[in-house]
Amino acid sequence: MPVQNHLHDMDEENCCGCGACLQICPQSCISSAENKRGFAIPVIDAEKCVNCGLCKKVCPWQSILRKNQVIESYIAKAAQESVQKKCTSGGIFNLLAEEILKNGGVVYGCEWTDELLVHHVRVDRVENLPGLLQSKYVQSDTERTFIEVKKDLNANRFVLYSGTACQLAGLKNFVGEHENLILVEVACHGVPSPGLFREYIHWIEEKTQKNVVGFQFRNRKKHKKGEHYQLRINYSDGTEEFRYAAFDPYYASFISGQTLRGVCYDCIYKGKDRVGDILLADFWGAEKEHPEFHAENGASAVVILSSKGKEVFEKINVTCKPSSWEKVTAHNRSLIEGAEKTDFYQTIDINRFIPKVTAKTLLKVYMPEKIKYLLKRL
Ligand SMILES: Cc1cc2nc3c(=O)[nH]c(=O)nc-3n(C[C@H](O)[C@H](O)[C@H](O)COP(=O)(O)OP(=O)(O)OC[C@H]3O[C@@H](n4cnc5c(N)ncnc54)[C@H](O)[C@@H]3O)c2cc1C
């Protein structure tokens, strides 16, 4: 039977990997396979497919969804420093999530799996929130969470779902508009390959002859000396290792945009019209745009995109100052345009990404943060 109405021949350049198609398929005939660059791609069993077209309807690349517009923008950080320190930038996600849980709602976000990959999970107790905090720079698998969200909404629960714009678009296509659903969009310059991350962990284990049991991309404990982007690796023997992004093959290649999913280079979910109710980003350039705001430990850009988003933001305990979309995006181009296209690597070999260390890199990494901050303010 000719198949015309479903997604076929999918690859990284026309599929964002949100998983909506896998979750909607009434025949369960869509599965996921890893391509040679380590990204998950949907594979359709044409024998089982009944050509219902639901996969196409929920696909954020086929049914483009961008409804909300910028209402207000802020520079913000959690009022309590301890909250900010647990998170990546301003700690705003943690406060929003607590607010929803306090009122009997549920929160979805992503955490590390035991195998050190990243997936979305459902949390309904504050004790389980810490696993969701902090950015994991690996594409997350949404698993069956869109189905679970639908069940929660049908049970009249408030739901906060956080993720990248394309994941939120897939979810919104899947469940439709719902007044109890709050979407928290995490700014994203692109997602890197889970397969490459797996190979990278093997590479570390081979080099060190130790097992990696924990990973943190934005370690705050030691970054005071210089560069913010420092990772921490935990080994099974109880030791830990700290590395600056600029010296690390996985991290440096992610930041420079060499290892992103194909679709991210031409991401269609950029700009002022957005999917979420609230957008969270790092407030880069805070010292220039808001010199009056104390952002030594980092600050978030919070962009309010709907009245629902505004309502929940007003309830949380933050230190904030009004800003503007122009100020937020002046130093954060990833909110308005896709990453610059680089040569597509074709095999997941981490050795090809070992960075060259120059005098400029050393200066950037080791110049104390306080001096950098003062220089930027000047
Ligand atoms: C792949 C990726 C690329 C990013 N690129 C940029 C960028 O270019 N510019 C910028 O300003 N900010 C970027 N961010 C977002 C930024 O790092 C912070 O996550 C954001 O500012 C929120 O900070 P926070 O302190 O409020 O929350 P945090 O405590 O950091 O909360 C993290 C939140 O992000 C979600 N999250 C973590 N990892 C992932 C993931 N892999 N996929 C989907 N959701 C995830 C968690 O579920 C949680 O909701 C990126 C994040 C990711 C995951």
Side-chain angles (χ1 to χ4, degrees):
M1 184 179 67
V3 181
Q4 294 150 356
N5 204 21
H6 67 39
L7 307 165
H8 53 100
D9 296 334
M10 298 307 289
D11 207 343
E12 271 177 59
E13 289 188 85
N14 54 11
C15 163
C16 63
C18 73
C21 57
L22 273 81
Q23 298 182 59
I24 198 87
C25 180
Q27 297 295 104
S28 302
C29 69
I30 310 182
S31 55
S32 178
E34 189 174 293
N35 75 1
K36 60 185 175 198
R37 292 176 14 98
F39 288 100
I41 305 290
V43 178
I44 297 162
D45 180 346
E47 294 288 308
K48 279 202 211 157
C49 174
V50 292
N51 210 15
C52 68
L54 280 175
C55 50
K56 212 168 168 179
K57 230 167 124 186
V58 293
C59 171
W61 247 253
Q62 308 274 329
S63 309
I64 298 164
L65 195 147
R66 271 210 293 199
K67 270 191 161 171
N68 294 336
Q69 296 203 339
V70 174
I71 299 176
E72 289 162 0
S73 303
Y74 294 91
I75 179 167
K77 59 182 183 182
Q80 282 176 284
E81 207 180 311
S82 57
V83 173
Q84 201 192 348
K85 283 195 165 153
K86 289 191 287 187
C87 304
T88 306
S89 51
I92 310 300
F93 166 74
N94 181 75
L95 297 175
L96 295 170
E98 275 179 2
E99 179 62 30
I100 296 296
L101 293 173
K102 210 168 70 190
N103 290 295
V106 288
V107 170
Y108 289 82
C110 51
E111 67 171 20
W112 292 104
T113 67
D114 292 341
E115 294 77 35
L116 285 183
L117 286 169
V118 179
H119 67 169
H120 267 72
V121 292
R122 176 183 188 274
V123 162
D124 60 1
R125 299 151 74 109
V126 178
E127 304 89 271
N128 297 336
L129 200 52
L132 267 49
L133 305 182
Q134 302 194 348
S135 294
K136 293 104 185 163
Y137 297 132
V138 183
Q139 181 162 33
S140 163
D141 182 345
T142 60
E143 308 256 7
R144 313 286 287 169
T145 52
F146 294 0
I147 297 169
E148 290 179 64
V149 167
K150 204 165 197 172
K151 280 191 203 149
D152 281 326
L153 292 172
N154 287 341
N156 242 348
R157 306 277 300 261
F158 272 102
V159 175
L160 182 156
Y161 196 103
S162 72
T164 59
C166 53
Q167 289 171 332
L168 302 187
L171 172 64
K172 217 164 168 180
N173 282 343
F174 189 96
V175 296
E177 278 295 339
H178 206 293
E179 58 178 321
N180 286 356
L181 178 63
I182 296 191
L183 300 178
V184 175
E185 202 180 315
V186 174
C188 170
H189 84 273
V191 284
S193 155
L196 184 68
F197 187 75
R198 189 189 55 230
E199 290 308 306
Y200 161 71
I201 295 292
H202 290 161
W203 177 83
I204 298 174
E205 290 181 335
E206 240 170 57
K207 272 191 170 303
T208 58
Q209 291 296 302
K210 293 185 199 179
N211 289 331
V212 177
V213 291
F215 202 92
Q216 187 186 24
F217 278 100
R218 298 271 292 265
N219 162 65
R220 281 174 175 270
K221 212 158 91 184
K222 291 205 170 183
H223 88 263
K224 279 207 170 107
K225 270 193 270 151
E227 183 58 66
H228 274 278
Y229 290 84
Q230 189 193 50
L231 59 82
R232 187 187 66 198
I233 304 165
N234 289 85
Y235 295 102
S236 57
D237 62 1
T239 55
E240 46 186 20
E241 184 189 339
F242 298 88
R243 282 190 196 182
Y244 289 111
F247 306 146
D248 182 77
Y250 181 85
Y251 212 164
S253 58
F254 161 62
I255 289 178
S256 63
Q258 295 175 69
T259 55
L260 309 180
R261 195 174 175 106
V263 86
C264 301
Y265 298 102
D266 298 306
C267 177
I268 52 175
Y269 289 99
K270 298 283 180 188
K272 243 180 157 173
D273 303 338
R274 317 264 338 171
V275 182
D277 295 294
I278 298 189
L279 165 68
L280 300 179
D282 290 316
F283 206 125
W284 293 328
E287 58 291 322
K288 266 198 190 142
E289 304 301 336
H290 293 282
E292 77 290 357
F293 195 87
H294 295 289
E296 290 91 337
N297 289 324
S300 287
V302 179
V303 183
I304 307 294
L305 300 159
S306 74
S307 51
K308 269 193 282 183
K310 187 171 161 70
E311 207 177 305
V312 61
F313 182 62
E314 279 172 354
K315 288 189 181 145
I316 62 173
N317 190 11
V318 288
T319 305
C320 68
K321 287 251 182 296
S323 185
S324 66
W325 175 252
E326 287 68 31
K327 288 185 174 185
V328 166
T329 54
H331 309 267
N332 203 337
R333 303 299 297 170
S334 69
L335 294 171
I336 40 187
E337 60 197 16
E340 201 177 314
K341 217 167 197 154
T342 57
D343 276 351
F344 252 37
Y345 67 90
Q346 292 301 333
T347 49
I348 43 178
D349 173 14
I350 195 71
N351 287 299
R352 64 168 291 166
F353 298 111
I354 293 174
K356 286 195 187 81
V357 177
T358 60
K360 196 174 157 198
T361 327
L362 292 172
L363 198 65
K364 188 169 175 252
V365 169
Y366 290 115
M367 185 188 286
E369 202 53 32
K370 279 221 156 99
I371 297 183
K372 267 197 227 166
Y373 184 74
L374 285 173
L375 284 176
K376 281 186 189 165
R377 282 184 73 146
L378 283 173

